[in-house]
Amino acid sequence: MKETHVLRILTAIITVAATFFATTSCNNAKHEEANRLLDTAYKQKDYDRLMLLADSLHSAGDISDAKMYYWQGYAYDRKKDSPNASSSWRKAMAAAISSGSADDEVMYEKAATRLSNLLCVSGDYAGTLEVSLPAIKRIEELKRDTTSDYVNLLIYTGLCQTTVGKPEHDTENAFFIANKKHLENIQRNRCDATYKEAIAGLVNIAYYCVNAKKYEAALYYTGSFGELLAEYQHRPGVDTVYIDRQIGRFTAYKAQALYMVGRRREAADTYNAFLETHFCHSAEGQKLAETYQSITGQ
C-alpha cells in the first residue's frame, strides 16, 4: 500500500516536471522566434515593422514590457521622433526595474544608453546626467560593469559633466574608467565587435577633449587610440576603408592637440599623415582639415 502511494507521488512529480519542462521549452522557442523576428526587422531597417512586431509580440506574451518599449523607442528614434523615443526608453527602464529579470536588465542598460545618447546629442547635458549617473550606479551595484553599454554611459557622462559645472576630476575619471574598461573588454574577447566598440569610444573621447581644449588629455587618449588601431589593423580580414577612416580621425585630432601644446613639428608630420588618408577627402575629413588650418593659420 505504501509502495503504491509512493509510486503515485512519484508519478505525479514526474508528470508535473514533464509539463514544466515542456512548457519551458515551448516558451524558450517562442522567445527565440520573437528575438529572431525583431532582429530581422532591425537589420533590414524596417522601423514600421519593428514597431508593429514589438507591439504584437508583447500582446502575445512573447516579449516583456521592457523589451517592447526598448524596440519601440529604437524605431521612433530612427524615424526622427525624439519625444516618443525618449518616452519609450524611459518606460523600458522603469519596466526593467519593476521586473528585475536578468533579460530585462539588458534592456535597462540598452535603453539607458540610447536615451543618454539622445539627450547628449540634443544638448540636454543636465538631462543626460539625470539618466546616466543612476544607470551607472545601478549597473555597478549589479556587477554588470563589463558591458559596452556601461562604458558608453561613462563616456556620455564625461561629455556632459564639465558643461554643467561638475568637478573637473569627475569628467577625467569617467573617461579614464571608460578607456580602461574598453581595453579590459578586448583582453577578454578579441573580436571585431569589441575592437570597434573601443575605437568608437575613444573617437568620442578624443573629439570631446580637443573641442573642450583639453589638449594634454587629448594626447593621452589619442595615444591609446593609436595603439588600439595599430593592433586592430593587423588582424586578418579587417575592412581597409574602416581603418582608413579611423586613422584619419586619429591623426586629425592628434595633430590639433600637438599644435596647441606647442609641438609644431610633430603636429605638421601628423597632419601630413592625415592628408595621406582617403578619409581626408570626405565631408567629415574636410571639416577636420578646415579646423586644423584655422588654428594653424594655413
Side-chain angles (χ1 to χ4, degrees):
M1 188 73 175
K2 287 182 179 179
E3 289 178 357
T4 302
H5 181 64
V6 170
L7 182 60
R8 284 174 181 168
I9 292 173
L10 288 172
T11 301
I13 292 171
I14 291 168
T15 301
V16 170
T19 303
F20 170 78
F21 285 120
T23 303
T24 301
S25 177
C26 180
N27 286 340
N28 286 341
K30 288 172 68 177
H31 291 324
E32 287 176 9
E33 176 62 11
N35 288 335
R36 187 191 67 77
L37 290 170
L38 290 166
D39 190 54
T40 299
Y42 157 73
K43 287 178 177 176
Q44 292 176 345
K45 301 181 180 180
D46 189 343
Y47 305 122
D48 289 327
R49 177 166 171 73
L50 184 59
M51 195 175 293
L52 289 171
L53 273 172
D55 184 60
S56 62
L57 291 169
H58 175 261
S59 297
D62 296 339
I63 62 173
S64 67
D65 291 356
K67 184 168 284 190
M68 174 191 69
Y69 286 128
Y70 170 76
W71 282 115
Q72 286 184 341
Y74 182 86
Y76 278 125
D77 182 56
R78 294 299 171 175
K79 288 160 68 70
K80 309 300 182 185
D81 186 346
S82 296
N84 275 319
S86 175
S87 175
S88 296
W89 283 329
R90 290 181 192 279
K91 289 176 182 177
M93 293 170 68
I97 290 171
S98 297
S99 162
S101 78
D103 286 345
D104 281 349
E105 284 300 333
V106 175
M107 293 296 103
Y108 173 88
E109 293 166 20
K110 290 186 177 301
T113 303
R114 294 284 182 185
L115 180 56
S116 294
N117 178 67
L118 178 67
L119 294 169
C120 186
V121 169
S122 69
D124 185 356
Y125 305 122
T128 303
L129 294 175
E130 287 174 3
V131 173
S132 67
L133 290 172
I136 287 169
K137 183 179 179 182
R138 179 179 178 82
I139 292 168
E140 288 173 345
E141 288 174 348
L142 293 173
K143 302 188 185 306
R144 294 179 55 85
D145 58 349
T146 59
T147 66
S148 60
D149 287 312
Y150 171 73
V151 180
N152 287 329
L153 282 167
L154 285 171
I155 292 172
Y156 299 140
T157 298
L159 290 171
C160 296
Q161 278 174 325
T162 299
T163 309
V164 297
K166 291 287 182 179
E168 184 74 12
H169 71 273
D170 286 350
T171 301
E172 293 175 358
N173 192 47
F175 286 156
F176 183 80
I177 295 171
N179 182 51
K180 180 172 176 286
K181 288 290 183 181
H182 271 314
L183 298 179
E184 287 174 355
N185 288 345
I186 288 172
Q187 289 298 318
R188 279 191 296 270
N189 185 12
R190 293 182 181 277
C191 68
D192 259 32
T194 312
Y195 273 102
K196 286 183 176 180
E197 285 169 0
I199 288 168
L202 284 166
V203 165
N204 282 329
I205 293 173
Y207 169 82
Y208 169 79
C209 289
V210 167
N211 282 274
K213 298 181 172 55
K214 300 177 183 298
Y215 300 115
E216 292 292 351
L219 288 175
Y220 175 82
Y221 289 112
T222 52
S224 185
F225 186 7
E227 290 173 9
L228 192 59
L229 272 177
E231 183 178 325
Y232 178 69
Q233 71 182 110
H234 290 105
R235 289 171 58 83
V238 295
D239 182 348
T240 55
V241 174
Y242 172 82
I243 291 295
D244 178 83
R245 183 165 63 249
Q246 304 313 325
I247 290 174
R249 289 169 172 157
F250 158 65
T251 48
Y253 295 142
K254 186 175 181 181
Q256 287 184 50
L258 285 168
Y259 186 88
M260 295 307 293
V261 298
R263 294 160 63 178
R264 305 295 170 84
R265 180 68 262 169
E266 292 174 75
D269 290 342
T270 304
Y271 184 68
N272 286 335
F274 165 77
L275 294 176
E276 291 175 3
T277 66
H278 294 291
F279 170 80
C280 79
H281 302 293
S282 68
E284 183 184 349
Q286 286 297 295
K287 286 182 180 179
L288 290 171
E290 288 168 8
T291 300
Y292 181 82
Q293 290 162 11
S294 69
I295 64 174
T296 60
Q298 293 183 5

